[in-house]
Amino acid sequence: MTPWWRDRSMALPAASGTMIAAGSLLQWNGADQAAPALLWGALLVGAWTFVPGALRHLARGFLGVGLLMTIAAMGAVTLGHIGEAAALAFLFSIAEALEDRAMDKAKHGLGALLSLIPSTTRVVRDGQDVAIEATEVQIGDVLLIGAGERIATDGVVTTGRSTVDASAITGESIPLEVGPGAEVLAGSVNGSGSLTLQATAAGTDNSLTTIVRLVQEAHQRKGDRARLADRIARPLVPVVLVTAALVAVVGSWLGESSVWIERALVVLVAASPCAMAIAVPVTVISAIGSASKLGVIIKSGEAFEQFGTIRQVAFDKTGTLTRNRPQVVTVLTTDDTTDAEVLRVAAALERTSTHPLASAIVDAGGRTLTATDVEELPGHGITGTIDGIAHAIGHHRWLSPGALSFATDALTDDGMSVVVVHRDGQVQGVIGVRDELKPEAAEAIADLASAGITAVMISGDNSRTARAIARDAGIETVHAEQFPQDKADVVETMRRQTPTAMVGDGINDAPALAAATVGIAMGATGSAAAVESADIAFTGHDLRQIPAAIAHARRGRRIMTGNILLALAIIVVLFPLALFGVLGLAGVVLVHEVAEVVVIGNGLRAARLRGLRREEASPLPATANSVCTDGCCTTGTPTPLLTIASASRDEVTR
């Protein structure tokens, strides 16, 4: 963030304050001619920051704090108190500048979403392969997708087999095996095989463009929330104006008109919410600044206000609750081999593969064996020769698990992807790979529950995987197999019932982040589109900081509410004193200034993080099931690996 002394939005308030100080000094030294000019300059410069906006809002029928401050300054000028009017203008202008500084109101574009669509793609036209703009693709076109290429629009595979990484769209953590008849989505990344697709959506109307539209619609539905001070000022402004008018009219009718008109103007100044105007931004800036120490970047004052009201948090699974890094979790073997041998064989075959599961297997198995004549069969698996013996590794629908077939369903139900290893045509073992839960996730969910906040999982992953991870995390409510629009609909329904935060990191989470009361993007690892769609960016990695940040926001909201109540109490006290002539304009302005010092001091308390969890003070606990067996600790770092060698059906069930 730009330092305040270089922030252009602070220039006019600073100039106004400087001129007030200089004018007051000259007035104190008897320079009665130069002082008024400086005070008028301070008034005009300060008023320029809020009067035009207040008048524009009035033209649209919006009554806010700015209008009341404008009327109060005009009243002071009418009474001939230029210095007091300049002070009011300066105080409100600095409050507005502070709030603008606390709020990041920039509307980021959704270019990060659309950038996932390649600029060009290859299609078959008139029997020829031609490259065209992706936006020119029409329904029915035949697309040629090479290895590693991104798919330009939604389509159905007509020929070829491969794996497709659709995590950006669906949140599916493990790439999908696709073949003829399989549907693929725009923005997905093709694996090592070549595919021919028939487009089922135009290049300008597909999965990704739908996500863009959903995000825009969610922002429009949510709209701009009025600031707390403006929500209070909306009914206050007409009451004050009507009361001041009645004081002037009735007083003039019953007594001397000049006295009662002046008193009505003092009433207007007394009712100006100076303390209220500055109380909120000071509290917001203090709280937002300190929240960054928790790895939580709050983009706006409105988001901070809403963050303190959250009673329900919806979590995406992949990359949010999980590591987004598949790991070997389970190894089952036949009687004539060991788990370490199965892992070493699998690692040798997978060493040159680009499949996302390959890196997990290589990390677990090490590099002690070498395979020759390695051939990768897209959509199936890999074959090769090790020590003169033919080996193969692949999906259990391609390679039969044989005697270990009883375990594949159990492993799948536990959220794992199952890989079968064959030696000389016979099953040697099966390997379970899963994107593991972050070690602190369960504690973070427990922290939320202890604070009275419900946790829910919303995932695009398959139901069995999502429920297995949710069970480990301690989450009871799970919405699985959700596409981006489904996620947004679920969050919208939840938000209508109770204030809801959505935590996610993927492009497929962007509509849900925009639809939530507060969207929290995993900024350190998340997509740019998710960060742009969210109200808050979480740059840390410890999920326990999120409940700590909510507690911090709740405390800040309590401080802000206290400041608002204090500001209202001052108005309630000053109003009758001004009405009955006990205090004049100078006394009213003095009380307002003292009150502002008090609320500023109170607002600065929101910066304290006392009693909240700090990342550096809370090291992550060791993973309970992390063990180090032969072949899995190639880097010295334990890999979560539960080895079940020569397991029976009863042992697996148990």
Side-chain angles (χ1 to χ4, degrees):
M1 196 169 185
T2 305
W4 65 267
W5 61 86
R6 292 168 51 192
D7 191 338
R8 293 183 179 181
S9 65
M10 300 290 289
L12 290 180
S16 177
T18 302
M19 285 188 282
I20 287 178
S24 300
L25 185 61
L26 289 175
Q27 198 172 44
W28 182 266
N29 291 326
D32 295 334
Q33 293 182 345
L38 284 173
L39 294 176
W40 268 106
L43 170 61
L44 294 176
V45 170
W48 182 256
T49 64
F50 64 89
V51 171
L55 296 178
R56 286 194 298 270
H57 289 156
L58 179 61
R60 297 198 298 266
F62 178 78
L63 304 178
V65 177
L67 177 61
L68 199 54
M69 295 300 296
T70 300
I71 296 172
M74 292 174 59
V77 170
T78 304
L79 294 175
H81 296 278
I82 306 303
E84 285 80 357
L88 290 175
F90 163 69
L91 290 171
F92 191 65
S93 67
I94 195 69
E96 289 289 281
L98 287 173
E99 188 149 9
D100 287 342
R101 184 170 171 79
M103 292 183 179
D104 178 16
K105 292 185 177 179
K107 300 298 183 182
H108 295 285
L110 295 174
L113 287 172
L114 296 177
S115 66
L116 290 181
I117 300 179
S119 57
T120 61
T121 188
R122 291 180 299 144
V123 300
V124 177
R125 295 275 174 90
D126 299 327
Q128 301 291 324
D129 297 354
V130 296
I132 65 171
E133 296 290 330
T135 55
E136 297 177 3
V137 174
Q138 301 296 319
I139 296 176
D141 279 346
V142 176
L143 280 65
L144 305 177
I145 310 297
E149 291 184 355
R150 196 173 288 276
I151 297 170
T153 192
D154 303 337
V156 175
V157 177
T158 55
T159 61
R161 289 188 175 275
S162 184
T163 57
V164 172
D165 181 1
S167 59
I169 312 303
T170 65
E172 188 85 27
S173 55
I174 304 298
L176 305 174
E177 310 282 348
V178 297
E183 297 182 356
V184 293
L185 302 176
S188 302
V189 179
N190 184 28
S192 57
S194 296
L195 298 174
T196 301
L197 311 178
Q198 185 171 24
T200 57
T204 56
D205 185 18
N206 52 51
S207 301
L208 281 177
T209 57
T210 299
I211 292 177
V212 174
R213 176 178 54 80
L214 290 172
V215 172
Q216 292 172 336
E217 290 176 354
H219 279 305
Q220 291 171 358
R221 286 196 305 270
K222 187 157 59 174
D224 293 329
R225 301 184 186 96
R227 296 174 300 179
L228 182 58
D230 282 334
R231 291 199 298 271
I232 295 173
R234 191 171 297 163
L236 180 63
V237 170
V239 170
V240 170
L241 294 179
V242 170
T243 303
L246 289 175
V247 169
V249 173
V250 175
S252 299
W253 180 46
L254 297 176
E256 188 175 344
S257 60
S258 60
V259 173
W260 286 100
I261 290 175
E262 179 177 347
R263 193 165 294 178
L265 293 174
V266 175
V267 167
L268 284 176
V269 177
S272 60
C274 300
M276 185 189 303
I278 202 168
V280 173
V282 167
T283 307
V284 167
I285 285 180
S286 300
I288 286 178
S290 58
S292 63
K293 298 176 183 178
L294 297 171
V296 176
I297 307 303
I298 303 175
K299 294 184 179 182
S300 70
E302 292 169 350
F304 170 75
E305 290 183 29
Q306 296 296 321
F307 197 30
T309 68
I310 295 303
R311 293 294 180 272
Q312 188 168 231
V313 179
F315 288 92
D316 172 52
K317 181 185 74 69
T318 305
T320 301
L321 289 172
T322 65
R323 301 172 183 269
N324 199 21
R325 189 175 67 250
Q327 293 179 301
V328 172
V329 178
T330 300
V331 177
L332 302 175
T333 66
T334 55
D335 293 334
D336 58 345
T337 190
T338 65
D339 58 290
E341 183 179 353
V342 169
L343 286 172
R344 286 195 292 267
V345 167
L349 293 172
E350 295 277 14
R351 190 167 301 153
T352 59
S353 174
T354 58
H355 195 287
L357 297 185
S359 59
I361 293 173
V362 172
D363 288 343
R367 300 173 179 270
T368 58
L369 296 180
T370 301
T372 59
D373 300 326
V374 176
E375 181 181 1
E376 186 164 358
L377 306 174
H380 295 301
I382 302 174
T383 61
T385 301
I386 301 175
D387 294 334
I389 301 175
H391 286 76
I393 183 172
H395 197 278
H396 63 85
R397 286 193 294 268
W398 179 55
L399 297 176
S400 171
L404 299 176
S405 59
F406 66 91
T408 56
D409 288 340
L411 298 182
T412 303
D413 287 339
D414 204 26
M416 301 183 203
S417 294
V418 180
V419 178
V420 180
V421 179
H422 271 205
R423 178 180 59 194
D424 199 19
Q426 299 297 318
V427 63
Q428 187 177 13
V430 296
I431 301 173
V433 182
R434 185 172 65 184
D435 183 12
E436 285 289 84
L437 191 70
K438 291 180 178 178
E440 78 281 3
E443 186 179 348
I445 300 303
D447 288 346
L448 289 173
S450 65
I453 300 172
T454 304
V456 176
M457 178 190 286
I458 305 178
S459 176
D461 216 336
N462 68 78
S463 180
R464 287 187 292 188
T465 300
R467 293 188 182 280
I469 294 295
R471 182 178 61 251
D472 294 343
I475 297 176
E476 295 182 0
T477 304
V478 179
H479 300 273
E481 301 179 11
Q482 303 288 302
F483 283 93
Q485 184 169 3
D486 302 325
K487 287 187 175 184
D489 291 342
V490 170
V491 171
E492 181 74 21
T493 301
M494 293 167 59
R495 182 183 64 81
R496 291 197 187 102
Q497 298 170 353
T498 187
T500 300
M502 172 69 191
V503 187
D505 73 320
I507 291 165
N508 58 305
D509 299 320
L513 291 170
T517 306
V518 173
I520 305 174
M522 304 293 287
T525 57
S527 69
V531 175
E532 291 171 0
S533 301
D535 305 291
I536 295 172
F538 178 52
T539 61
H541 64 271
D542 189 344
L543 288 175
R544 294 172 294 181
Q545 304 296 50
I546 291 180
I550 295 177
H552 177 60
R554 286 180 171 181
R555 179 172 177 270
R557 186 177 174 86
R558 287 195 299 270
I559 292 173
M560 186 166 55
T561 302
N563 274 345
I564 292 294
L565 293 176
L566 176 60
L568 286 175
I570 291 170
I571 293 175
V572 170
V573 171
L574 287 182
F575 196 86
L577 295 178
L579 179 62
F580 294 109
V582 177
L583 286 179
L585 182 62
V588 167
V589 173
L590 177 62
V591 172
H592 275 305
E593 291 175 348
V594 171
E596 286 172 14
V597 173
V598 174
V599 300
I600 288 173
N602 190 41
L604 292 176
R605 293 194 305 116
R608 289 189 294 176
L609 293 171
R610 185 177 60 188
L612 299 178
R613 184 190 304 277
R614 291 174 182 265
E615 189 169 351
E616 63 272 15
S618 55
L620 300 183
T623 306
N625 66 339
S626 293
V627 298
C628 188
T629 59
D630 182 25
C632 74
C633 290
T634 56
T635 63
T637 302
T639 301
L641 174 62
L642 174 62
T643 303
I644 309 177
S646 304
S648 67
R649 182 189 307 270
D650 292 339
E651 287 172 326
V652 171
T653 304
R654 190 162 61 243

